[in-house]
Amino acid sequence: MKVVFASCAALPEGDGDEDALLEVLRRDGVDVVWQPWGEPVDADLVVLRATWDYTERLDDFLAWCETVPALANPISVVRWNTDKSYLVELASHGIAVVPTAVVEPGEEPHFPDGEFVVKPAIGAGSRGAGRFTDHAKACAHFEALGVKALVQPYQSSVDAHGETALVFFAGEYSHSFHKGPMLAQGLAESESGLYVEEKLRAIEPTERQLDLANRVLDVAAERLSLQRNDFLYARVDVVEGEDGEPLLLELELTEPSLGFRQTGDEAASRLSKAIRASASR
């Protein structure tokens, strides 16, 4: 069984988060290799893992994904999930989402009162995201981005509590980890320039967070005419709203970091099992 982990030219072997997973897969008899996306690939399964430059060449990336016969997650998922406008769709179907407005290039943005965030609708690793109170500076940032953007009120709870990332494999909950504030002052970009460095640690989710994450996956699967186990992996990022209830910040179904450095071999073994089952179909 051959499995390819798709990466990018700037990070041809990822950022190290998959090291434990690679060891477990090889222990389980899987021939697993890294390959930057864009070239023809021959494998029982291709798993998108560190394709973090796709935001700069989205059309090329999606065209390449179309050529991959066994892709995880599937191309229909990738097309839907690479544009964060999906948050508006999920909110329209009853999911508690951080309030989100989508602004197209050339439109006049309308900013909420207080502190808010402007970020690209097609983006990864918090690149291009800005935190503002000044409307003029936010307008300048939006114009400099030159792309479709999201405007969201900043959730002040993030400063104290950060984000909780809940990870699922083949539709089943696996583990969670805590992410510190991504828009705090002083955070540095990685050497590759593809993401902002994160402060992560393992954490147990609350029942309300887990309930929200499960409902998010159910609705996403329904919208895409899939079963939950068609998502080889999923990461549901939640924050605390002003009333203390969890809100969906992002649903990561394309190439999310999965927190193996925070969780160890048990989580890696769960994904290895899911990968082997998917590659055998």
Side-chain angles (χ1 to χ4, degrees):
M1 179 181 294
K2 181 178 179 181
V3 171
V4 166
F5 279 5
S7 61
C8 62
L11 284 171
E13 296 188 355
D15 66 353
D17 188 56
E18 279 82 9
D19 288 352
L21 177 59
L22 290 164
E23 291 180 10
V24 170
L25 281 167
R26 289 166 179 156
R27 180 201 69 193
D28 291 340
V30 178
D31 176 15
V32 56
V33 296
W34 286 99
Q35 180 177 324
W37 71 270
E39 299 297 326
V41 58
D42 180 23
D44 296 295
L45 186 68
V46 176
V47 184
L48 300 175
R49 292 310 316 125
T51 57
W52 293 327
D53 63 354
Y54 75 86
T55 60
E56 301 161 11
R57 300 166 52 205
L58 181 61
D59 288 344
D60 290 341
F61 177 66
L62 293 176
W64 174 79
C65 287
E66 290 277 9
T67 71
V68 178
L71 184 70
N73 282 323
I75 180 60
S76 62
V77 175
V78 176
R79 283 191 178 280
W80 181 77
N81 189 240
T82 47
D83 185 334
K84 293 180 175 60
S85 301
Y86 68 76
L87 289 169
V88 176
E89 182 178 349
L90 291 177
S92 73
H93 286 83
I95 297 298
V97 172
V98 172
T100 301
V102 178
V103 188
E104 298 283 353
E107 292 183 349
E108 182 179 352
H110 297 282
F111 301 122
D113 294 332
E115 201 165 18
F116 56 92
V117 173
V118 178
K119 61 185 179 183
I122 299 170
S126 293
R127 287 177 297 156
R131 180 175 166 184
F132 302 95
T133 55
D134 186 298
H135 288 200
K137 290 181 179 179
C139 276
H141 180 71
F142 170 64
E143 291 174 3
L145 288 175
V147 296
K148 179 166 62 172
L150 306 184
V151 177
Q152 300 171 314
Y154 184 74
Q155 304 301 302
S156 59
S157 65
V158 173
D159 291 334
H161 305 296
E163 306 170 22
T164 298
L166 296 89
V167 179
F168 293 74
F169 299 140
E172 298 294 327
Y173 173 73
S174 171
H175 62 277
S176 296
F177 56 94
H178 176 268
K179 302 167 65 180
M182 292 297 294
L183 298 181
Q185 300 243 344
L187 290 183
E189 281 194 351
S190 66
E191 290 184 8
S192 67
L194 294 178
Y195 57 91
V196 174
E197 294 285 1
E198 298 176 305
K199 296 181 179 180
L200 309 177
R201 60 179 172 83
I203 194 173
E204 287 297 318
T206 67
E207 289 186 12
R208 291 181 298 177
Q209 289 173 333
L210 188 55
D211 179 62
L212 173 61
N214 275 302
R215 287 189 285 115
V216 167
L217 289 190
D218 286 341
V219 171
E222 180 180 359
R223 299 304 302 156
L224 293 165
S225 300
L226 298 171
Q227 301 296 316
R228 272 181 53 156
N229 62 5
D230 290 325
F231 301 136
L232 175 66
Y233 52 77
R235 197 185 82 200
V236 185
D237 293 346
V238 301
V239 296
E240 186 178 293
E242 291 182 1
D243 59 359
E245 291 296 316
L247 298 173
L248 175 67
L249 182 63
E250 288 194 17
L251 169 59
E252 297 273 10
L253 297 172
T254 304
E255 34 54 81
S257 295
L258 297 170
F260 291 116
R261 281 181 287 203
Q262 286 68 50
T263 56
D265 287 352
E266 288 187 9
S269 294
R270 288 190 285 271
L271 184 51
S272 173
K273 180 180 178 181
I275 286 173
R276 287 180 283 120
S278 183
S280 299
R281 291 176 186 168

